Amino acid sequence: MADKAVEGCVPKTNISQIKNKQRRTAAYLEMKREQRKQKKKQKKLQKEERKALGDNAPPKQVPKTIENCRVYDETFVNPEDEEVAVDEANDELAPYFNRETTPKILIVASDRSSRGRTDCFCKELKRIIPNSVVKYRRGLALKKIIEQCKGCEYTDLLVVNQNRGIPNGLVISHLPDGPTAHFKVSNVKLVGDLKKMGSMSCHHPEVILNNFNTHLGHRIGRLMASLFPHSPQFEGRRVVTFHNQRDFIFFRQHRYEFRNSQKVGLKELGPRFTLKLRSLQKGTFDSKFGEYEWVHKRHEMETSRRKFFL
């Protein structure tokens, strides 16, 4: 018995000391399999113990993530704060939320853009956003386009920038008084790139805004919401989501599917893309004399992985 106890205490061979590459790889894979088995067995035992204890079971431990360890930001918005309500009632987006204006959107691409993925991206934005049109710039400067938009009573101007035929930027300018937001666009997946996509209806979508908690995030969320009509048409079961996570805004579009009387699912309609805020400017677009509310300065601001601005 003593020999067996001593034998059980002898440590296993260090995998890194195995000279043969194939044997070393096989030993490593075997070790990982054993670790997975032990982890699965441990989870099963914990689940059985919690089930046996019932209501007396200790609360589940919440794992630490970058999101729940976020550094507190003094600009966090409380929706019930009276000062926040006063600011919202007097900002540039107040006419939309007071239902004094109806969204009318103009979508253009960057000057001399190639008619490839950028053109398809603009057309899909048109399908997503009701009451929007796509037009070609024909070499016009943005300041001239903005003046023409004001004359035609457009409420917003969307400019899609590109690099080598791929969309890489989006400018949203709310008219006539701003603000203007500039985003970096990445991970664009058009409807044709995705598999098993559903068909999109023409109904006005429901808009969901997640995790826009700071003052800056609140303004960006209101700017996103102002692109869509006031009253969603719920019979269309179409929902558009802007989900903010670690200052990356993920766009998704789905349709509700009622599979039976108790289960409701989601069918993705596409496209997918990710936005990263680069700057927020007061007023309409002005690259020379514009006053900026916020500008992303990477090396000065990204000093902590747990600090976010939206």
Side-chain angles (χ1 to χ4, degrees):
M1 294 292 291
D3 293 337
K4 289 183 179 180
V6 172
E7 185 179 355
C9 295
V10 176
K12 295 183 179 180
T13 306
N14 190 353
I15 294 176
S16 61
Q17 293 179 354
I18 300 176
K19 295 182 179 180
N20 186 283
K21 183 179 179 180
Q22 293 181 347
R23 291 177 58 192
R24 186 168 64 246
T25 303
Y28 174 77
L29 294 176
E30 180 64 26
M31 181 191 70
K32 297 300 287 185
R33 277 195 293 269
E34 288 296 326
Q35 288 178 352
R36 285 195 295 269
K37 285 182 182 179
Q38 292 297 328
K39 190 174 182 180
K40 189 175 181 180
K41 186 177 180 180
Q42 186 178 2
K43 282 186 178 181
K44 186 176 180 181
L45 289 173
Q46 290 177 352
K47 189 175 181 180
E48 291 176 353
E49 289 177 0
R50 292 186 64 84
K51 188 176 181 180
L53 291 173
D55 296 336
N56 297 324
K60 290 185 178 180
Q61 294 182 351
V62 179
K64 289 186 177 181
T65 62
I66 294 179
E67 284 82 7
N68 60 27
C69 294
R70 176 178 182 171
V71 175
Y72 176 75
D73 194 317
E74 61 277 3
T75 64
F76 265 62
V77 172
N78 182 2
E80 300 179 357
D81 193 343
E82 293 183 0
E83 293 184 3
V84 174
V86 172
D87 290 341
E88 291 179 355
N90 297 312
D91 67 3
E92 309 94 320
L93 301 168
Y96 165 81
F97 288 96
N98 294 334
R99 296 178 179 266
E100 298 172 8
T101 61
T102 301
K104 183 180 177 183
I105 318 298
L106 175 64
I107 303 172
V108 299
S110 58
D111 196 14
R112 298 181 181 87
S113 63
S114 59
R115 295 189 180 183
R117 292 182 64 84
T118 303
D119 190 37
C120 294
F121 184 63
C122 292
K123 290 178 180 178
E124 293 197 5
L125 287 178
K126 177 184 179 298
R127 294 175 64 235
I128 294 167
I129 305 173
N131 201 21
S132 61
V133 294
V134 178
K135 292 187 178 181
Y136 298 107
R137 285 181 63 170
R138 302 183 186 278
L140 288 176
L142 278 183
K143 289 185 179 180
K144 291 184 178 180
I145 295 176
I146 289 173
E147 293 303 320
Q148 292 180 5
C149 287
K150 291 179 181 178
C152 297
E153 297 184 350
Y154 283 101
T155 60
D156 294 271
L157 172 65
L158 271 62
V159 184
V160 179
N161 297 319
Q162 69 165 13
N163 181 25
R164 297 181 180 180
I166 299 176
N168 72 334
L170 178 66
V171 176
I172 302 177
S173 186
H174 187 72
L175 305 175
D177 301 318
T180 300
H182 178 212
F183 299 92
K184 176 185 176 182
V185 179
S186 59
N187 301 326
V188 177
K189 297 290 184 182
L190 303 176
V191 174
D193 301 330
L194 302 172
K195 296 181 180 180
K196 298 181 180 180
M197 291 292 101
S199 58
M200 187 190 308
S201 67
C202 297
H203 293 87
H204 295 173
E206 178 185 359
V207 181
I208 296 178
L209 303 168
N210 288 335
N211 298 334
F212 293 89
N213 300 319
T214 65
H215 176 72
L216 175 64
H218 206 58
R219 279 188 56 82
I220 295 300
R222 283 167 62 84
L223 181 63
M224 298 289 190
S226 67
L227 299 175
F228 296 87
H230 300 283
S231 301
Q233 297 171 340
F234 294 105
E235 63 270 19
R237 297 175 289 141
R238 191 157 70 96
V239 57
V240 165
T241 304
F242 293 94
H243 175 73
N244 172 45
Q245 185 172 353
R246 305 182 190 178
D247 286 348
F248 289 92
I249 303 172
F250 299 93
F251 174 87
R252 297 291 185 271
Q253 183 180 206
H254 297 87
R255 183 181 68 242
Y256 294 112
E257 285 190 342
F258 299 96
R259 293 166 183 169
N260 54 44
S261 58
Q262 296 180 347
K263 291 185 179 180
V264 179
L266 290 175
K267 182 71 173 179
E268 188 172 0
L269 305 178
R272 301 176 187 172
F273 56 88
T274 305
L275 302 176
K276 176 79 170 179
L277 182 65
R278 291 305 183 196
S279 65
L280 181 65
Q281 183 180 357
K282 289 185 178 180
T284 57
F285 179 83
D286 190 344
S287 58
K288 290 185 177 181
F289 306 106
E291 181 181 354
Y292 287 87
E293 297 183 33
W294 185 87
V295 178
H296 180 258
K297 298 179 180 178
R298 180 180 177 185
H299 298 290
E300 296 180 17
M301 294 180 172
E302 296 182 1
T303 56
S304 172
R305 292 183 63 199
R306 297 183 291 112
K307 184 172 179 60
F308 309 113
F309 301 96
L310 299 182

